[in-house]
Amino acid sequence: MPVNPNPTETLLKRLVLTLSALLLLMLTAAYYALPLPMAGPLIALNRASAGLTEHTAPVGPHTVHYLAGGSGTPVVLLHGIFAEKDHWVDFARPLTSRYQVMAPDLPGFGVSGRFDFQSYGYAAQVERLRLWMDAAGIRQAHFAGNSMGGTLAALFARRYPQRVLSVAFIGAPHGLRTPQRSTMDAMLDAGMKSPLIANSGAEFEQMLDLLFTRRPFLPYPVAQLALTTALENAPSNVRIWNEQLHDRFLLDAEVGALKHPVLALWGAQDRLFDVSGADVLRQRLKQADVQVLSGVGHLPMMEVPAESAGAYSRFLAQLDARFKK
């Protein structure tokens, strides 16, 4: 005979379902109505999924925040101008099983502090990078960087060659003269002062179109945090941008002197630095492995993280095999 359901038990089940539905509705509403408070937990979850945790180290007046995870030979990931450490998380995910991966918010960027009385040009940042390595206990590492970060890695390798195992440009480095002008070159030559500084939502969208061929997925709260941060930092970004513009072709005079193993992943559709620069690297760095990524813009570690991390992993594996001989 069928057993009659317990009325109390039935009521409790309905109550649990109702409360669960209400909680889901509240979270969904908060996701869109209160995006900024939701961004932090989502960012933390993504870091944890990649085996990364946040740490800090003092560097002069700055407190450098950095992500670290994994074990083995250190790999340092350096972001570009107006970027930050979390742009590397998806790229770092497959690396933490074999390497000690570390990605700092460079001084002046992210949450590492920015001061009006400090310069954030390359000479100052090279020395800050050394101080951060000392504070974080990194004696020697592989370095990979995007844009400004790639140039910083190359300049650091020139200044402190014994502390660098290899240099990788994950996306075009800043400061190299290219045979063909890029979209951003044309903007600058036409008098547009700062294509990578957004003073409105519309300008932020234009900036993203300049950076990406295929925009990576960002949860709505994280995207809103990126927009809010860009708008808040716009006034002080101008000074840093002008410092970079003063060193517009700094790498051009330095890159040929690199003696370290080099990997370069250059997006074929990079609108900031034209892909014709890949041939310049091939000519000047005979030891370099230069690869052009079809259909990719300026930030391959965000646009195609699995593909770019796979290429970098193979590069590191080849070096590991060479170092063991």
Side-chain angles (χ1 to χ4, degrees):
M1 295 179 62
V3 178
N4 291 328
N6 185 314
T8 302
E9 183 179 337
T10 301
L11 181 61
L12 284 173
K13 287 181 178 178
R14 289 177 179 173
L15 183 60
V16 169
L17 287 173
T18 300
L19 290 174
S20 298
L22 284 172
L23 180 60
L24 180 60
L25 185 62
M26 291 171 62
L27 287 173
T28 302
Y31 186 89
Y32 291 102
L34 300 168
L36 298 188
M38 295 291 291
L42 290 172
I43 291 170
L45 182 63
N46 195 42
R47 292 172 181 172
S49 72
L52 299 170
T53 56
E54 187 170 12
H55 306 264
T56 61
V59 175
H62 303 86
T63 298
V64 172
H65 291 244
Y66 63 97
L67 301 178
S71 60
T73 304
V75 171
V76 173
L77 306 176
L78 303 175
H79 62 73
I81 194 169
F82 311 140
E84 45 98 5
K85 61 187 179 299
D86 281 282
H87 291 176
W88 289 106
V89 171
D90 291 339
F91 178 92
R93 185 172 284 107
L95 299 176
T96 51
S97 61
R98 294 190 60 184
Y99 302 96
Q100 180 188 13
V101 180
M102 309 179 83
D105 275 342
L106 292 166
F109 302 95
V111 292
S112 289
R114 178 181 295 184
F115 302 98
D116 291 340
F117 57 88
Q118 294 285 315
S119 167
Y120 296 102
Y122 283 113
Q125 293 291 65
V126 164
E127 291 311 307
R128 292 190 186 110
L129 182 56
R130 178 185 64 81
L131 292 172
W132 170 71
M133 288 182 67
D134 292 343
I138 311 169
R139 186 182 64 83
Q140 193 178 47
H142 297 283
F143 283 79
N146 171 262
S147 198
M148 176 190 76
T151 301
L152 180 58
L155 296 176
F156 186 85
R158 292 276 290 118
R159 180 71 178 83
Y160 299 106
Q162 72 282 2
R163 303 196 69 168
V164 177
L165 295 169
S166 69
V167 172
F169 302 128
I170 310 300
H174 166 252
L176 194 66
R177 292 182 186 273
T178 60
Q180 300 297 322
R181 287 200 312 168
S182 69
T183 300
M184 189 171 75
D185 285 333
M187 290 177 171
L188 293 173
D189 293 342
M192 185 174 181
K193 294 183 179 179
S194 49
L196 298 183
I197 299 176
N199 291 285
S200 67
E203 289 184 359
F204 185 75
E205 289 296 312
Q206 292 168 5
M207 182 186 70
L208 293 181
D209 287 340
L210 195 62
L211 290 171
F212 296 108
T213 300
R214 294 168 290 178
R215 293 191 194 183
F217 168 74
L218 287 179
Y220 179 75
V222 177
Q224 288 302 112
L225 177 62
L227 170 61
T228 301
T229 302
L231 297 182
E232 288 177 348
N233 289 341
S236 64
N237 281 347
V238 172
R239 178 172 68 90
I240 294 177
W241 174 261
N242 288 335
E243 283 188 288
Q244 290 270 311
L245 206 57
H246 180 73
D247 288 332
R248 185 175 174 185
F249 298 113
L250 175 65
L251 186 62
D252 204 65
E254 297 280 348
V255 70
L258 269 179
K259 303 302 180 185
H260 298 79
V262 174
L263 171 70
L265 304 178
W266 201 306
Q269 276 66 52
D270 193 324
R271 297 181 181 94
L272 269 62
F273 307 123
D274 189 79
V275 68
S276 59
D279 287 332
V280 175
L281 288 180
R282 290 189 182 102
Q283 294 164 7
R284 302 216 190 146
L285 294 171
K286 301 302 183 184
Q287 81 276 24
D289 177 3
V290 181
Q291 302 177 29
V292 173
L293 304 181
S294 178
V296 176
H298 187 59
L299 301 168
M301 74 283 194
M302 297 181 70
E303 198 165 334
V304 285
E307 180 183 350
S308 54
Y312 187 49
S313 295
R314 291 188 291 274
F315 171 73
L316 292 178
Q318 291 171 356
L319 294 181
D320 289 343
R322 188 190 309 174
F323 291 155
K324 288 178 181 178
K325 290 182 180 179

